[in-house]
Amino acid sequence: MRAMRHFSVKLNDGHSMPVLGFGTSAPAKLWGTFFRPELVQTGLEVSLKKLQLSYVDLFLIHFPVALKPGEEILPKDTDGKLIFDAVDLCTTWEALEKCKEAGLVKSIGVSNFNCKQLEMILNKPGLKYKPVCNQVECHLYFNQSKLLDFCKSKDIVLTAYGVLGSDPEKEWVTKNYPVILEDPVLNVIAEKHQRTAAQVALRYQLQRGLVVLAKSFTEKRIRENFQVFDFQLTPEDMKTLDGLNRNLRYFKDTYFADHPDYPFNDEY
């Protein structure tokens, strides 16, 4: 993995990506109230103007979803089970390569891919572009060490979501799991560095070489989450935090279990 410079990491296609980003995933009820997409766009435009930046100065990670009016992102049948569509991943990747060649996107990557699925893309005949990143759930209780090592060996950036845990109000999140930010070991290390538990949890992933997405709806916490570049965890701290791994997923293994390309049956 290439070293961080100016808070960014160099991707395998030559572009750079910030090592810390702002996550915007939210429960459905928020998208129906104050967190509507048009309000996000307005807020973004105001912020860019204040910072004297333009849209092209941002590194935006999109999950393309083509919906017709009235369609649901996660459609269900009469029994409440998700309705899946069978799409060949290699064919989909070829379509993304065409988007890159057409200048519609700067970089292309994947999300929730395991090692075998990444190998399938990397070994695809006629591959033009490797995935620059693989965005997965990764946090102190699920540190994805094997997948991280594999991605590093292939020059693919591992991007972490759910770093601080996840909102249990989301229907795909397992309820009643332990809260990362309440972990006593984490809080002892945070107190030693005079930092918040969230800042230490984020810093841990950055020092492991991941790109991190941090999400909050509170201005104070949003500001705190970006104040992680002026302190360093010791090797002893890192080893202690490594020991918190439980191979525990907040995002339900069973939610998409019937999908033909379900990625979580393998160890990594």
Side-chain angles (χ1 to χ4, degrees):
M1 185 70 64
R2 298 179 178 92
M4 287 187 293
R5 292 185 62 189
H6 306 296
F7 313 125
S8 66
V9 62
K10 195 74 172 291
L11 304 174
N12 62 43
D13 66 354
H15 292 296
S16 294
M17 177 167 65
V19 296
L20 181 60
F22 180 60
T24 58
S25 174
K29 70 175 186 178
L30 292 183
W31 284 104
T33 55
F34 69 88
F35 207 60
R36 297 195 306 272
E38 61 268 26
L39 297 185
V40 173
Q41 180 179 348
T42 301
L44 185 59
E45 290 172 349
V46 170
S47 297
L48 288 174
K49 186 176 181 180
K50 288 181 178 179
L51 295 171
Q52 296 183 324
L53 298 172
S54 68
Y55 186 81
V56 295
D57 293 314
L58 301 176
F59 194 102
L60 300 176
I61 300 177
H62 294 282
F63 290 89
V65 179
L67 294 177
K68 298 177 182 178
E71 285 186 332
E72 297 289 334
I73 294 179
L74 299 174
K76 298 178 181 178
D77 61 21
T78 55
D79 296 324
K81 293 185 178 180
L82 292 177
I83 301 173
F84 297 113
D85 190 11
V87 179
D88 181 76
L89 293 179
C90 288
T91 301
T92 302
W93 187 253
E94 290 173 1
L96 289 174
E97 289 179 322
K98 291 179 180 178
C99 288
K100 181 174 174 63
E101 289 180 335
L104 299 175
V105 296
K106 291 182 179 179
S107 302
I108 51 177
V110 296
S111 181
N112 294 322
F113 270 44
N114 59 29
C115 175
K116 290 182 179 179
Q117 290 169 327
L118 285 170
E119 287 277 21
M120 179 177 62
I121 298 297
L122 294 172
N123 295 329
K124 186 185 78 67
L127 180 71
K128 296 179 180 178
Y129 303 104
K130 292 168 54 174
V132 300
C133 64
N134 181 21
Q135 184 173 313
V136 298
E137 176 183 359
C138 185
H139 44 75
L140 287 168
Y141 290 165
F142 189 52
N143 66 22
Q144 298 271 26
S145 59
K146 292 182 179 180
L147 183 59
L148 175 60
D149 289 342
F150 176 81
C151 287
K152 286 182 177 181
S153 73
K154 303 298 181 181
D155 199 17
I156 296 172
V157 173
L158 197 64
T159 303
Y161 67 77
V163 177
L164 305 179
S166 192
D167 190 338
E169 292 189 17
K170 294 177 181 175
E171 59 179 308
W172 55 85
V173 174
T174 304
K175 309 297 186 285
N176 302 318
Y177 268 13
V179 179
I180 288 176
L181 298 184
E182 295 177 359
D183 187 277
V185 174
L186 172 62
N187 278 275
V188 166
I189 294 176
E191 184 177 353
K192 181 179 74 171
H193 290 276
Q194 296 183 323
R195 298 285 172 162
T196 67
Q199 288 172 329
V200 171
L202 293 168
R203 182 70 204 180
Y204 167 74
Q205 302 294 359
L206 291 172
Q207 288 187 210
R208 298 175 73 216
L210 282 84
V211 165
V212 178
L213 300 178
K215 187 196 70 178
S216 176
F217 301 117
T218 306
E219 181 179 350
K220 178 177 179 293
R221 291 174 181 169
I222 291 172
R223 291 181 181 276
E224 288 177 347
N225 289 346
F226 279 82
Q227 295 170 354
V228 292
F229 297 105
D230 57 350
F231 75 102
Q232 188 88 3
L233 297 174
T234 66
E236 293 76 17
D237 293 334
M238 295 295 291
K239 185 176 180 180
T240 298
L241 294 172
D242 284 340
L244 295 181
N245 182 55
R246 308 182 185 187
N247 291 322
L248 182 153
R249 293 182 185 272
Y250 283 98
F251 293 80
K252 295 179 182 178
D253 288 9
T254 57
Y255 197 72
F256 298 102
D258 294 329
H259 194 282
D261 293 311
Y262 181 69
F264 304 137
N265 290 324
D266 298 307
E267 185 177 357
Y268 69 101

